[in-house]
Amino acid sequence: MSDFVKQNVQWFPGHMAKTGRQIRENLRLVDAVAEILDARAPRASANPDIARMTAGKPRIVLLNKCDLADDIVTAAWVRHFAATGLTAIPVDCKTGRGLKQFKTALSRHVEGKTRSNLAKGMAGKAVRVMVLGIPNTGKSTFINKLAGRKKALTADKPGVTRQNQWFPIGAGLEMLDTPGVLWPKFDDPAVGDKLSFIGAVKDSVTDTQTVASRLLALLAERCPGRLQARYALDTPLALDGAALLESVALKRGMRAAGGQPDTERAAAVFLDEFRGGKLGRISLETPEEA
Ligand code: G4P
C-alpha cells in the first residue's frame, strides 16, 4: 500500500518549497511553537523538518486525540519526549483536555522572552506562538478550541494561506490563528501505513481494502481481543488481513451481488469504526518500537 501511496503523491500539490518559505516567514514572527502530533502514532505523524525549522525556539509537543490512544502508551511517549528535552502534553481538543497544561507549559517556556520584553520597556508586548503539524492531526480544532470559536477555519492546504491574525490566549500570550501545515514523510513504508490507518493520508489516494486488511492484520497481532469482541470473530483469529476483512464482511452481513463478502463496504466501515474509537483506545506505536 505504501508503494501505492508513493505512486499517488500527486495528492500532494507540488508547492513544498513555497510552503516551507511561508512557514519560515511566519516562524520569524513567533517566539514559540506548538507541534501537534497524533497520540496514536506520535512518530509517524511527526515531520522531522519541524525540529530543524524551529531550532532555537521553545517547542511544545501536543499529543492530540489522546482520547483515542492507550493512556499507558501515551504516558510512555510523554516520558520519551521528556528524555529528549521536550515537553509533551496529551490533549483532546474536542473536549479541551490538556489545554490548560499547554498554556501553563507555554508560559514557562517563554519566561525568558517575557522578561526580556520587560527589560526593554515592552511589558505589554505579547509573546507569540504558532501551531505546526501534518494534515488531520487536529490543528484547526486546537486553535478553534483555544480561541473559543465554534466554526472551524479550514487548514487543509499546505503553508499558511490566510492573512495572519493573532488572538490572545491569556497570560500575555498570543496565537497565530492559522497553522503551518507540513506534509508527512513517507520514507519508511510503515509510516505510510500508520498514517493511512489514522486517516492522515486520505482514503481517496489509497486502496481502502488494502489499508483495512493491513490494519486488521496489525490489530490481530497487537490486540486480538478487541477485534474478536467488536466483530464476533472466531478464535484463534486468522493473521491474514484479507481473510479477516472477509470475516468482518460476513459477520456484519455485508454481501455483494452474487453473495460474495462485500469487502469494499466492510473496509470502509471497519476503518471508520477504528478511527472513531469504536474498537477502544489503541496506540499504533510505542517509543521502544524503532
Ligand atoms: P487539521 O487542522 O490538523 O487538518 O485537523 P482538524 O482540526 O481539521 O481535525 C481533523 C479531524 O480530527 C476532525 O474530525 C476533528 O474533529 C478530529 N479531532 C481533532 N482533535 C481531536 C481530538 O482530540 N480527539 C478526537 N477524537 N478527534 C479530534 P473530522 O471527522 O474531520 O471532522 P468532525 O468529526 O469534527 O466533523
Side-chain angles (χ1 to χ4, degrees):
M1 186 276 307
S2 294
D3 287 341
F4 185 91
V5 172
K6 277 187 181 159
Q7 285 158 20
N8 286 276
V9 287
Q10 294 87 330
W11 160 61
F12 293 142
H15 303 320
M16 293 185 48
K18 187 169 167 230
T19 300
R21 222 173 24 247
Q22 283 176 326
I23 291 175
R24 281 192 179 85
E25 276 166 21
N26 282 287
L27 277 171
R28 264 191 251 139
L29 308 175
V30 302
D31 307 295
V33 165
E35 177 183 11
I36 309 227
L37 305 179
D38 188 305
R40 292 166 295 175
R43 190 169 283 132
S45 61
N47 181 320
D49 292 344
I50 291 182
R52 250 195 313 280
M53 290 168 109
T54 62
K57 274 190 207 298
R59 174 163 58 108
I60 293 178
V61 170
L62 298 171
L63 300 170
N64 189 34
K65 310 197 188 187
C66 70
D67 54 307
L68 299 175
D70 181 328
D71 270 342
I72 293 173
V73 179
T74 301
W77 278 107
V78 169
R79 288 194 300 275
H80 166 81
F81 282 109
T84 66
L86 280 171
T87 300
I89 302 169
V91 288
D92 167 357
C93 290
K94 280 197 155 176
T95 62
R97 179 187 155 192
L99 296 194
K100 205 164 153 227
Q101 288 92 316
F102 163 70
K103 286 197 241 178
T104 308
L106 184 60
S107 297
R108 213 177 50 238
H109 277 71
V110 298
E111 248 167 28
K113 184 74 191 173
T114 314
R115 261 201 308 273
S116 89
N117 282 350
L118 200 65
K120 289 181 199 154
M122 299 188 292
K125 189 168 188 276
V127 175
R128 291 180 154 179
V129 62
M130 79 178 279
V131 173
L132 287 174
I134 68 164
N136 208 38
T137 47
K139 296 175 299 302
S140 306
T141 312
F142 172 74
I143 291 173
N144 288 322
K145 192 83 185 169
L146 272 182
R149 275 191 303 240
K150 287 262 184 311
K151 172 119 179 55
L153 288 170
T154 48
D156 56 353
K157 293 198 191 122
V160 179
T161 50
R162 301 169 61 254
Q163 192 84 46
N164 288 344
Q165 283 180 35
W166 303 88
F167 61 88
I169 55 171
L173 301 165
E174 275 183 4
M175 181 166 279
L176 182 60
D177 79 342
T178 315
V181 187
L182 292 99
W183 297 129
K185 291 264 164 169
F186 277 103
D187 301 346
D188 176 359
V191 171
D193 280 351
K194 285 177 197 161
L195 293 173
S196 303
F197 299 159
I198 62 176
V201 170
K202 288 192 172 34
D203 289 336
S204 53
V205 299
T206 58
D207 172 40
T208 313
Q209 293 186 61
T210 313
V211 174
S213 299
R214 292 200 179 187
L215 179 56
L216 281 163
L218 182 81
L219 299 187
E221 206 183 302
R222 288 177 87 102
C223 48
R226 302 280 183 92
L227 277 186
Q228 209 270 328
R230 180 82 197 164
Y231 300 107
L233 300 175
D234 302 326
T235 48
L237 285 186
L239 290 180
D240 172 50
L244 281 167
L245 186 58
E246 286 197 0
S247 302
V248 169
L250 293 176
K251 290 285 179 180
R252 287 284 173 96
M254 296 171 185
R255 288 185 186 273
Q260 301 302 315
D262 188 347
T263 47
E264 199 179 327
R265 217 176 116 212
V269 167
F270 163 66
L271 287 174
D272 209 45
E273 294 190 355
F274 170 77
R275 291 169 187 160
K278 299 272 177 13
L279 282 92
R281 300 171 61 174
I282 299 174
S283 296
L284 295 175
E285 57 189 9
T286 66
E288 293 76 35
E289 289 162 337

